[in-house]
Amino acid sequence: MEKTFNLSRREDGIAVLTMDVPGETMNTLKAEFGPEISETLAEIKHDASVKGLVVISGKADSFVAGADISMLDACTSVAAAKELSQQGHVVFNELENLSIPVVAAINGACLGGGLELALACHLRVCTDDKKTIMGVPEVQLGLLPGGGGTQRLPRKVGITTALDMMLTGKQIRPKQALKMALVDDVVPESILLETAIAMAKKGKSAAKVAKKSALNKVLESTSATRDIIFDQAAKQVLKKTQGNYPAPAKIIDCVKQGMNKGMIKGLEVEASHFAELVMSSESEALRSIFFATTEMKKETGADGAEPRKVNKALVIGGGLMGGGIASVTTTKAKIPARVKDINEKGLSNALAYAYKLLAKGVKRRHMTPAVRDNLMALMTTTTEYKGVKDADIVVEAVFEDLALKHQMVKDVERECHENTIFASNTSSLPIGQIAEAASRPENVIGLHYFSPVEKMPLVEVIAHKTTSPETIATTVAFARKQGKTPIVVQDGAGFYVNRILALYMNEAAQVLLSGEKVESLDKALVKFGFPVGPITLLDEVGIDVGAKIAPILTQELGERFKAPDAFDKLLADDRKGRKNGKGFYQYGNKKSKAKLVDESVYQVLGVNNQSTGSGSDIAMRCVIQMLNEAVRCLDEGIIASARDGDIGAIFGIGFPPFLGGPFKYMDSMGIANLVSKLRQYQQQHGDRFEPCERLVNMAESGSTFY
């Protein structure tokens, strides 16, 4: 069997331990490596000629990208998960307790278990390469660093910095790492090994000490003052997670116990907490999302079709969406983008939008002004169809008007080449209707981005009946290069995400009209796990936008999509939301941090709002509509699988990730339970809650989605 760890001894007494997992592109830590590492360390310990050790990776792009997550799924009990953590503790303690200096030489990703391995070494040096990042992202999978990270990191960089890293999972770049004393030196990749060898010869005294602010020095000095840090962190975490995620509180507890009662106690607490988290439903859901997105990266979106190369893109429309799409095309995908708009104002808006986003990168020193200018040079503008003949894909982001979109299709077919893909960023018009104007309908596809484009991870790639597989594969690959997670959906009004969102929003409006207060409605859904409440969302998206989409959905899909008439009253009162500073909430008062409801909205709607319902019932009423509709979408083939439906809802509308998505959530609540709940609401509130046929059949047969 090929070894993962290879030891070579040098003439000068320094040994180099190279980690290279056979047959993998990245190094990840697996449980079965334990005995191999222990054997190697024992060999070093008993060899008097070895005066120092350098640990380095044999991979070009990663030191160690973390632990192999699939081994966590193999754990069937808390005891088995605890043993995994303790195995890691044993090996890392052996490494740390070597009497010779041990240096980690880091190039590329050094994350999770990889950073814990580096922390168990006495010294660390990393390269200044763009690929080099360090961090402990376990919290994003509902876990905590289980290889001693909760103990070694605070001792190395200070409690406050360590908590910030562990509770956010943020990635640290080389310069930052040096500043916080996470590493002892940063060098070009070409001299990484020789620098590490020189450090090993110098010995353990070469370690940098973290510089703490005067306040943190005081706060971190005694157990009583440290408790102030832990209490503050716990408060902030609760506000952010609404108590839906158990990992952050457990991370804080590990650090607290370890700093107040010593390393041995800390490691014991870490192993216990880690094991409980591995077996929790929240972590299981978050890991399932990780596996689903990893699996999706390997798919082209159309079986057997290979994507064509996109060398140039044309974006039609310089508004917020057009500017955002052009920006991710040039900065993320590094593909030249030409923006076309009928007037110069739209074009300068698009350029300013892209520049503003890049300027943030320069300000944070993530890029140099020269890099920013090179990326800006990839974006060009025109008010006529000039310099567009060679565009391989055209993304249209103009008004939701079918006649206008038909005109765009004809223009593009006239001005570009015969293989140019025409992708429409429509949020509600069926793509088949847009393709009716095309002489090459196989090149027409939907590419639905969410606002703001640079922040929202999802795009829906919408194929109509005659879209070619090659067009689908090329569009999926293009979206992925822009840093997006694409899901392929079939054509139909509202596609998938807006369709399930519309019923959720409509129900929120019904709850409001039945006398619930705006803030208690929003609070209930934030508590349930959404990033913002539905009324806040409506203000952000625009009340007028919601009002435009509802009739299209009602006409295509039926009465259950009809928005309450009260919306017309809001528009008559010129309430569009944040964009015109007049909606459900007050805008313009910069002094107040808390968002205040504009109480006059109740008179406009003609309701007297006295909060009555329970938060959990309000949330369930809105969410259950989304669940019922998601199943209809699966049934009609709008989405290809429950997995795609879960990813679409989590990345597109912020469905609570710890629930794993609508389909995973329905499985865990029980389909029969869901159907009886829908019937109960149907009796109370009307036929819009009627459970769809597939759910009724599943409840009878006792089947599940996964």
Side-chain angles (χ1 to χ4, degrees), residues 203-407:
K204 300 178 187 178
S205 61
K208 277 186 68 134
V209 180
K211 288 193 187 78
K212 297 176 191 173
S213 70
L215 176 66
N216 284 349
K217 254 190 207 143
V218 174
L219 285 176
E220 295 183 18
S221 59
T222 70
S223 69
T225 51
R226 284 196 289 268
D227 285 348
I228 299 173
I229 302 177
F230 298 128
D231 292 345
Q232 273 305 100
K235 269 191 200 128
Q236 283 173 322
V237 156
L238 188 65
K239 196 175 156 194
K240 209 166 176 181
T241 65
Q242 297 287 319
N244 289 321
Y245 294 86
K250 284 193 170 8
I251 289 172
I252 295 169
D253 189 50
C254 288
V255 180
K256 182 175 180 171
Q257 303 242 29
M259 295 311 282
N260 290 344
K261 296 178 186 165
M263 183 96 168
I264 293 170
K265 175 68 177 168
L267 289 173
E268 167 55 32
V269 172
E270 179 184 277
S272 301
H273 282 345
F274 175 79
E276 285 162 24
L277 290 172
V278 169
M279 302 312 290
S280 70
S281 63
E282 292 86 357
S283 178
E284 199 227 334
L286 294 168
R287 296 197 307 265
S288 75
I289 298 165
F290 172 81
F291 288 126
T293 48
T294 310
E295 189 183 15
M296 288 168 92
K297 281 178 188 150
K298 299 173 191 148
E299 299 167 9
T300 64
D303 286 343
E306 281 305 309
R308 285 197 296 265
K309 193 166 166 18
V310 172
N311 296 309
K312 183 174 177 181
L314 168 66
V315 178
I316 304 179
L320 268 183
M321 289 306 275
I325 295 163
S327 170
V328 293
T329 306
T330 53
T331 49
K332 291 267 170 59
K334 313 276 191 284
I335 293 171
R338 196 149 172 78
V339 185
K340 166 165 190 320
D341 199 289
I342 41 180
N343 63 34
E344 291 290 350
K345 187 167 180 273
L347 297 175
S348 57
N349 282 347
L351 287 169
Y353 191 82
Y355 190 85
K356 194 170 108 191
L357 293 176
L358 288 171
K360 277 185 194 159
V362 175
K363 194 176 170 192
R364 293 186 185 141
R365 301 202 169 156
H366 292 174
M367 66 169 71
T368 61
V371 170
R372 172 200 62 202
D373 297 343
N374 287 341
L375 288 172
M376 279 307 297
L378 289 174
M379 195 184 292
T380 57
T381 58
T382 178
T383 50
E384 292 163 20
Y385 285 100
K386 283 188 176 142
V388 299
K389 187 87 188 133
D390 54 348
D392 300 307
I393 189 164
V394 175
V395 185
E396 159 278 302
V398 299
F399 299 112
E400 293 286 272
D401 176 320
L402 193 59
L404 181 61
K405 293 193 191 274
H406 280 168
Q407 186 57 50

Side-chain angles (χ1 to χ4, degrees), residues 29 55 63-64 88-89 91-98 100-106 110-126 133-138 144-159 161-163 165-166 170 172 177-178 180-184 204 207-208 210 255 263 267 270:
L29 295 174
V55 183
F63 176 69
V64 178
H89 290 170
V91 173
F92 291 161
N93 284 344
E94 284 170 3
L95 185 64
E96 189 175 45
N97 293 334
L98 285 177
I100 55 170
V102 183
V103 183
I106 302 163
C110 172
L111 299 167
L115 186 58
E116 291 178 297
L117 166 65
L119 284 165
C121 299
H122 306 128
L123 297 158
R124 284 150 296 284
V125 54
C126 73
I133 45 168
M134 284 153 272
V136 271
E138 288 86 348
L144 54 77
T150 67
Q151 303 308 305
R152 289 192 180 92
L153 192 60
R155 285 173 171 80
K156 185 68 206 134
V157 299
I159 297 171
T161 309
L163 282 176
M165 281 176 70
M166 290 188 277
K170 63 163 68 159
I172 307 293
L178 184 63
M180 60 166 69
L182 183 59
V183 297
D184 303 292
K204 300 178 187 178
K208 277 186 68 134
V255 180
M263 183 96 168
L267 289 173
E270 179 184 277

